Amino acid sequence: MKTDIILCGVGGQGILSIATIIGEAALKENLYIKQAEVHGMSQRGGDVQSNLRISSTPIYSDLIGIGQADVIISMEPMEALRYLPYLSKDGWIITSSAPFVNIPNYPDMEVLKKNYENIKNVIMIDIEKMAKDNEVPRSANVILVGAAQKALGIDFEKLEGAVQRVFARKGEEVVAQNLKALSLGRSMQK
């Protein structure tokens, strides 16, 4: 088993929380993990990206090469396209459909959607709306984790356990909200 994941978005959207949940679940499956983080200018709404590699055998590099990513999980649709050269031909993009317009020349959403039409495996969700409509507004990022579960190759129950452990210190209500968000995402899988 080997899964190379690129996590991306804009600073403050919860990218590192996604990495923590997936990494925690992988450790409980006795898998090897390597992570390389490239932090953008989060205080200025800059891009944030992290490479997360999971394998049943030892991993020697924490970086993912061009054409090698099995999954891109993105909190922002333009950011996912930025890392498209890294996606393998059968790889998956699981992304928010709602743009985070943080630059004056942000592309038109219709132009972005056309780029996605040529990608084989895409799950695009308005996670902000879904989170708000389901009363878990601070857990939009966890919806993407649930939607990516099959592509990640990690048992859903392991992700649930990881969510419980990662958010335990924040209290039962926060754990429950994030478990709900994880299940909401799971319902969006293809």
Side-chain angles (χ1 to χ4, degrees):
M1 184 260 183
K2 175 199 77 69
T3 307
D4 288 339
I5 308 155
I6 292 178
L7 306 166
C8 56
V10 175
Q13 289 187 306
I15 299 302
L16 298 180
S17 293
I18 293 173
T20 302
I21 292 166
I22 296 170
E24 176 71 21
L27 287 174
K28 288 297 179 184
E29 292 230 6
N30 294 316
L31 297 171
Y32 295 90
I33 63 170
K34 287 253 186 203
Q35 182 178 3
E37 297 173 11
V38 178
H39 299 279
M41 297 296 289
S42 61
Q43 67 274 19
R44 295 185 186 164
D47 72 317
V48 176
Q49 183 262 348
S50 179
N51 286 354
L52 183 61
R53 303 188 71 206
I54 301 169
S55 179
S56 54
T57 58
I59 304 166
Y60 299 104
S61 173
D62 52 3
L63 297 177
I64 298 169
I66 301 290
Q68 300 299 307
D70 300 298
V71 185
I72 295 174
I73 299 175
S74 181
M75 291 291 295
E76 211 287 326
M78 185 182 73
E79 291 299 324
L81 293 174
R82 180 189 310 256
Y83 297 100
L84 193 56
Y86 290 88
L87 190 66
S88 68
K89 71 177 182 79
D90 293 321
W92 280 86
I93 293 179
I94 295 91
T95 186
S96 172
S97 62
F100 185 93
V101 180
N102 59 343
I103 55 174
N105 58 343
Y106 192 95
D108 181 69
M109 201 52 209
E110 292 306 311
V111 172
L112 287 178
K113 286 181 180 177
K114 285 194 185 297
N115 284 294
Y116 279 101
E117 289 174 6
N118 299 321
I119 302 168
K120 183 176 170 183
N121 300 312
V122 176
I123 298 174
M124 187 178 273
I125 309 165
D126 188 342
I127 58 171
E128 297 297 332
K129 181 179 182 337
M130 186 178 229
K132 183 179 175 188
D133 290 351
N134 288 279
E135 300 178 355
V136 292
R138 296 183 52 99
S139 303
N141 59 337
V142 180
I143 292 172
L144 285 181
V145 176
Q149 180 261 321
K150 283 183 185 175
L152 295 171
I154 297 175
D155 290 336
F156 188 76
E157 295 73 24
K158 296 287 196 256
L159 289 172
E160 286 179 314
V163 164
Q164 291 170 341
R165 289 185 298 280
V166 167
F167 294 105
R169 73 185 195 314
K170 294 186 176 188
E172 289 181 28
E173 185 177 331
V174 172
V175 170
Q177 289 174 350
N178 282 285
L179 287 172
K180 182 177 181 179
L182 190 70
S183 291
L184 288 166
R186 182 184 196 187
S187 72
M188 301 303 292
Q189 293 183 63
K190 292 184 179 179

